[in-house]
Amino acid sequence: MMDKIVRIIEKITDIIGGLLQAWTVFFLMVLVMLEVLARYVLQSPLSLADELGGYMLVSIAFVGLGYTWKENGHVRVELVVNLLPDKWKSAMRFFTLILAALFCCPLIIGSFQMLQDSILFQSRSGSWLRTPLVYPQSVILIGSILLLLQFIAEIIKAVISFKQPAGGND
Amino acid sequence: MGTEIYIALLLVFLLFLLLVMGLEIGWSVGIVAVTGLVWYVDQPLGQLAETSFGSLNSFTLTALPLFVFMGGILGNTGVNDRLFNAIEKWVGSLPGGLACSVICGNAVFGAMCGSTIAATATFGKIAFPVMEKKNYSPELALGSIASGTVLAPLIPPSILLILYGSWQGLSIVDLLAAGLIPGLTLMSLFIITVIVMVKMNPSLAPATVAYTWSEKFRALADALPFAGVILGVLGAIFGGLMTPTEAAGLGAFLSILLTIGYRKLTFAIVQTSLLDTVKVTSFSLFIMAMSTLVSHVFNSAGIIPMIQEFVIALPIGKYGIMIMFFVMYFFMGMFFDSWSMLFLTFPFVMPVIIGLDINPIWWGIVYVMAGEQSTITPPFGLSLFVLRGVVPWHSMGTIVRGSLPFLIPIYINVLLMFLFPQLVLWLPSVLRGGG
């Protein structure tokens, strides 16, 4: 049962946090090239890449957080922890995992407050697109929720590995 | 103000504690930032999301994923072996010729995409087996590969300088131009180091091979497509035709064309490179967003001006303070990579630099040297680890022994920049002045 939950969450992380963001990078490249093409060949700049590129970057960074965690992509200082005996090391890792998961709370509450403010004040971008900021800003909330989901999977995996008699490495 | 200093110290201690406990850097900084935000400056949590969105919603910063993607494509397809072979035909006749070729190759690779990790991994895979077969000492071979990667972030385009510039609101074009001459002097100093080492101990490298002119020119033709990518990217930036972000997009696009031309590009490589890009972008920009919030918290509480005042008042003078920062980065570099150090320290360091009236463009280049020395110093040298992954049959000790002599040219280069700041500032001023 728990295995199945982990598998489902990791699938969601892989698709939304990994693949979707990966191809966002590709489309960012295409968008930037189209902008250059429009400026130099068609002599009429699209003025889209400036704004959309920034939104895409926020999405890659925030929606990709959970995927990056899953793939051990976030940098940490392991030097001191590695001096600990294995058992203590796993316990410390579990503790830091809980701390990291708890950090999702301010992230989610904070992004929710930001969205509320954007709706209340009807905030829009300064460009000709006049994008309602609530849309691009919502990727921070989506990323934070996905991150929380991934942490749930990580905690389940850690608990399962603690329960295994052979003892764990994380 | 008294208790506020204690609270600030407590927050710094909390950051230190979380880092030592092995919590990811972005989260360590984030927890400190949120604690400070709520408990210290009493602002709503919405500020966390607002700062994150505000600091990352930047078109300039989008050059980061595009250059990382470009590095991934060039690195994962292995097309750089052609580049390395071409360079070897020209530089290979110097004492320790292959080691010199690796250093030049790193500089050229740096001129294409500026990614340290991609450079180390690529040349570790391509050059090391050849050097080992030709009886190069493993120390010299591995040292030249690892140290050459310090060049990539100096020679434009540089991802580290783009991060620094867009975060601090500096002209990216000026910063990129500023890195070119120090990059070339460092490359020359590295080559001189190899030559001196081989002259002093000829057993480090085999006798050199001389190539005929026809071989050299054939190699030049092989390197032409790479030169096209470099000219495309740098020409677009310095010629004022494109912004650095657009040039990054062009570079990524040209790399795809180049690797398709060599029939090396597969769908799997594109996807792997894209996924790697997501990881690098996400980890680095999350730390950046959280550091921006830390900066906001400490500024709101009036602590940053106090630190600025305190450091500037130290009786060691402007140069003493800069040397103090350099030494600090040397020790921090034992535990952190150059990107993380930038984000962790610059909220506090930059106000001091500005207060001392030091040119931030010049300081950016000095920081690249200060930060990147960490990639080849143990115990946490990023290049050392990447290289260990590529050549696991050699001990970390061998890689470290090989890399350490290359710290000397790095320090000489820094000294040159202190003595002759124009090495850094001349090219940007020429570009800005239009000649």
Side-chain angles (χ1 to χ4, degrees):
Chain A
M1 171 65 183
M2 285 300 177
D3 275 356
K4 202 173 173 193
I5 294 175
V6 170
R7 268 203 308 276
I8 293 170
I9 292 176
E10 293 202 329
K11 193 87 192 159
I12 295 171
T13 302
D14 278 343
I15 292 172
I16 304 177
L19 285 175
L20 191 64
Q21 302 318 307
W23 287 97
T24 304
V25 176
F26 191 85
F27 286 115
L28 176 64
M29 180 192 77
V30 174
L31 177 69
V32 167
M33 284 293 86
L34 283 178
E35 185 73 52
V36 172
L37 208 70
R39 192 167 70 227
Y40 285 111
V41 181
L42 308 176
Q43 305 284 325
S44 83
L46 296 171
S47 302
L48 281 174
D50 258 40
E51 184 169 348
L52 297 185
Y55 300 156
M56 284 173 161
L57 188 70
V58 180
S59 170
I60 297 161
F62 262 85
V63 183
L65 279 175
Y67 172 77
T68 308
W69 186 287
K70 176 178 158 278
E71 299 290 315
N72 287 321
H74 290 288
V75 178
R76 64 195 187 108
V77 182
E78 288 174 277
L79 201 76
V80 186
V81 182
N82 281 344
L83 299 174
L84 296 173
D86 276 356
K87 210 173 152 186
W88 278 94
K89 204 159 80 179
S90 326
M92 184 65 91
R93 187 64 194 136
F94 189 69
F95 179 63
T96 52
L97 185 62
I98 299 288
L99 274 182
L102 286 175
F103 186 65
C104 289
C105 299
L107 267 180
I108 291 172
I109 297 168
S111 30
F112 200 74
Q113 283 179 2
M114 174 177 66
L115 294 183
Q116 273 182 325
D117 284 351
S118 288
I119 293 168
L120 184 69
F121 299 112
Q122 297 186 327
S123 312
R124 286 174 181 268
S125 67
S127 74
W128 68 269
L129 282 174
R130 306 284 298 146
T131 315
L133 285 180
V134 65
Y135 299 123
Q137 284 176 340
S138 60
V139 295
I140 295 196
L141 182 64
I142 296 169
S144 308
I145 293 170
L146 278 176
L147 180 65
L148 180 64
L149 274 178
Q150 184 56 37
F151 277 129
I152 292 170
E154 296 291 337
I155 291 168
I156 295 172
K157 281 194 286 187
V159 170
I160 291 172
S161 80
F162 274 135
K163 281 186 179 166
Q164 276 166 1
N169 57 55
D170 55 328
Chain B
M1 249 330 170
T3 49
E4 281 168 350
I5 292 177
Y6 288 116
I7 297 174
L9 285 174
L10 215 63
L11 287 178
V12 173
F13 175 72
L14 175 66
L15 175 66
F16 179 74
L17 188 72
L18 293 171
L19 289 171
V20 165
M21 278 161 54
L23 179 63
E24 277 66 5
I25 295 173
W27 273 258
S28 303
V29 180
I31 289 174
V32 168
V34 168
T35 312
L37 188 75
V38 177
W39 179 46
Y40 193 24
V41 292
D42 197 20
Q43 288 180 6
L45 280 174
Q47 187 66 46
L48 165 67
E50 298 256 4
T51 307
S52 302
F53 186 78
S55 59
L56 303 190
N57 179 17
S58 144
F59 185 60
T60 312
L61 213 50
T62 45
L64 165 82
L66 295 173
F67 276 128
V68 174
F69 174 51
M70 182 183 178
I73 291 283
L74 292 172
N76 290 333
T77 48
V79 289
N80 290 337
D81 58 347
R82 290 165 189 272
L83 180 68
F84 177 66
N85 288 336
I87 292 171
E88 199 236 326
K89 297 284 185 300
W90 284 84
V91 191
S93 52
L94 292 170
L98 279 174
C100 298
S101 308
V102 166
I103 289 163
C104 291
N106 267 309
V108 177
F109 191 70
M112 286 196 285
C113 70
S115 164
T116 309
I117 305 167
T120 317
T122 313
F123 286 100
K125 271 182 235 164
I126 295 170
F128 188 72
V130 185
M131 293 169 99
E132 200 167 42
K133 210 159 75 186
K134 291 193 175 173
N135 280 331
Y136 272 75
S137 108
E139 278 91 351
L140 178 69
L142 293 167
S144 63
I145 295 168
S147 62
T149 56
V150 182
L151 288 170
L154 267 183
I155 293 188
S158 156
I159 299 174
L160 182 59
L161 285 175
I162 289 171
L163 277 174
Y164 167 65
S166 55
W167 197 31
Q168 298 297 326
L170 302 169
S171 154
I172 304 291
V173 177
D174 279 3
L175 268 171
L176 296 181
L180 184 61
I181 295 175
L184 293 176
T185 52
L186 184 63
M187 182 185 82
S188 314
L189 288 168
F190 277 155
I191 291 176
I192 293 169
T193 308
V194 170
I195 294 173
V196 170
M197 282 167 74
V198 173
K199 287 276 182 200
M200 283 167 66
N201 181 3
S203 70
L204 288 176
T208 50
V209 192
Y211 293 98
T212 63
W213 282 104
S214 74
E215 281 175 309
K216 284 184 181 179
F217 282 109
R218 234 178 297 136
L220 214 54
D222 249 5
L224 225 51
F226 293 92
V229 176
I230 295 171
L231 279 178
V233 174
L234 294 188
I237 296 175
F238 295 136
L241 297 172
M242 292 183 197
T243 63
T245 303
E246 289 168 345
L250 176 72
F253 180 67
L254 289 177
S255 306
I256 289 176
L257 290 186
L258 183 79
T259 48
I260 288 176
Y262 285 131
R263 295 177 189 283
K264 292 277 180 105
L265 194 69
T266 60
F267 181 77
I269 287 179
V270 174
Q271 189 142 300
T272 307
S273 307
L274 287 171
L275 286 169
D276 287 345
T277 306
V278 172
K279 285 188 263 178
V280 174
T281 308
S282 189
F283 110 77
S284 56
L285 295 190
F286 185 60
I287 305 178
M288 190 183 125
M290 294 303 113
S291 296
T292 311
L293 189 65
V294 163
S295 177
H296 168 80
V297 167
F298 278 76
N299 254 323
S300 303
I303 290 299
I304 288 182
M306 282 171 74
I307 294 176
Q308 183 192 27
E309 220 171 276
F310 173 77
V311 177
I312 292 175
L314 287 175
I316 50 177
K318 185 168 154 177
Y319 290 100
I321 291 170
M322 282 192 283
I323 291 167
M324 182 182 81
F325 284 149
F326 200 89
V327 173
M328 173 183 86
Y329 287 126
F330 177 81
F331 287 106
M332 278 187 80
M334 293 179 174
F335 307 97
F336 300 100
D337 62 289
S338 55
W339 293 14
S340 305
M341 284 198 292
L342 175 88
F343 297 134
L344 283 171
T345 61
F346 270 45
F348 307 98
V349 168
M350 274 320 277
V352 175
I353 294 297
I354 290 161
L356 286 171
D357 211 15
I358 294 166
N359 187 319
I361 301 281
W362 180 85
W363 173 250
I365 305 302
V366 172
Y367 175 73
V368 171
M369 310 289 296
E372 289 301 327
Q373 67 174 346
S374 69
T375 61
I376 60 168
T377 44
F380 183 83
L382 196 60
S383 291
L384 305 177
F385 278 106
V386 173
L387 209 48
R388 175 92 169 92
V390 179
V391 289
W393 57 94
H394 279 290
S395 72
M396 192 52 119
T398 309
I399 302 174
V400 171
R401 273 197 304 280
S403 305
L404 288 182
F406 289 92
L407 283 175
I408 299 167
I410 296 177
Y411 297 145
I412 294 176
N413 207 39
V414 173
L415 191 66
L416 285 176
M417 288 196 282
F418 270 83
L419 294 175
F420 310 106
Q422 283 307 312
L423 284 175
V424 177
L425 299 173
W426 176 74
L427 195 56
S429 69
V430 168
L431 284 176
R432 230 179 303 122

